[in-house]
Amino acid sequence: MAETMIKPENSDLTTKERIRSVEKTLSIIKPDGVSRGLVGEVIKQLEAAKFQIAAMKLIHMTKAQAEGFYAVHKERPFFDSVTTFMSSGPAVVMVLKGENVIAEYREIMGATDHKKAAEGTIRKNYATDIEKNVVHGSDSPETAALEISYFFNRFELVD
């Protein structure tokens, strides 16, 4: 039996569409950003972009935890170096919330290779190499959901 969607008489499609465009994404200020004292600078840019911080904590991943997080890249040549780097010191993990936050945060981060990043982006301003590029951000809603759940449980998220 097919299910029928019942539409409320006073539905506001504009509001529903707007609610649907609000997303969450994972943001990591990587160990190089933390050790260089860039946490405040990065957060300042996120707040200027009008992103809401729905969760935030300071962590220090073990090598095994970093390997779990980057498991999709296990066969890639950079897997060992990125997991070693990500477990080398504290990192700040955050959940950002906002309309189209995934795409907008990726724009503010800049290209993975800081030499190719646009002027004014976090990576152009602060990265020192392709791996030590200060920040990480989810690349899709599906990835964001997986990455957020890797570091945060539902009780730690502020809606």
Side-chain angles (χ1 to χ4, degrees):
M1 184 164 119
E3 290 185 24
T4 307
M5 180 179 231
I6 299 171
K7 184 177 171 185
E9 286 182 42
N10 298 325
S11 68
D12 180 356
L13 294 178
T14 313
T15 301
K16 285 183 180 181
E17 289 170 7
R18 198 182 106 243
I19 290 170
R20 286 187 185 131
S21 69
V22 173
E23 302 172 321
K24 290 180 183 168
T25 192
L26 182 76
S27 169
I28 301 177
I29 303 175
K30 297 179 180 182
D32 60 319
V34 174
S35 69
R36 292 173 50 215
L38 298 173
V39 173
E41 291 299 320
V42 171
I43 291 174
K44 185 176 174 182
Q45 285 189 266
L46 302 178
E47 290 178 332
K50 306 294 184 211
F51 299 148
Q52 295 175 16
I53 298 174
M56 178 169 58
K57 58 185 164 183
L58 181 69
I59 62 166
H60 190 154
M61 281 189 270
T62 64
K63 176 80 166 165
Q65 289 167 331
E67 287 171 347
F69 182 72
Y70 286 100
V72 298
H73 300 298
K74 189 170 182 132
E75 303 304 319
R76 296 270 182 85
F78 61 82
F79 180 75
D80 186 58
S81 65
V82 75
T83 55
T84 297
F85 165 62
M86 290 300 290
S87 60
S88 69
V92 174
V93 290
M94 292 179 276
V95 177
L96 304 178
K97 181 177 153 184
E99 290 188 27
N100 304 309
V101 72
I102 294 169
E104 290 183 23
Y105 178 49
R106 292 186 68 74
E107 190 173 313
I108 289 168
M109 285 191 315
T112 302
D113 182 349
H114 71 290
K115 293 176 185 171
K116 297 177 183 175
E119 290 297 327
T121 61
I122 294 168
R123 289 175 172 160
K124 184 70 169 184
N125 291 342
Y126 304 115
T128 57
D129 67 44
I130 199 162
E131 200 169 85
K132 293 182 177 109
N133 59 17
V134 183
V135 289
H136 164 88
S138 306
D139 62 4
S140 71
E142 297 78 20
T143 303
L146 286 170
E147 291 181 346
I148 290 168
S149 69
Y150 195 82
F151 294 107
F152 297 95
N153 68 52
R154 63 188 172 118
F155 300 109
E156 295 174 302
L157 300 173
V158 177
D159 282 326

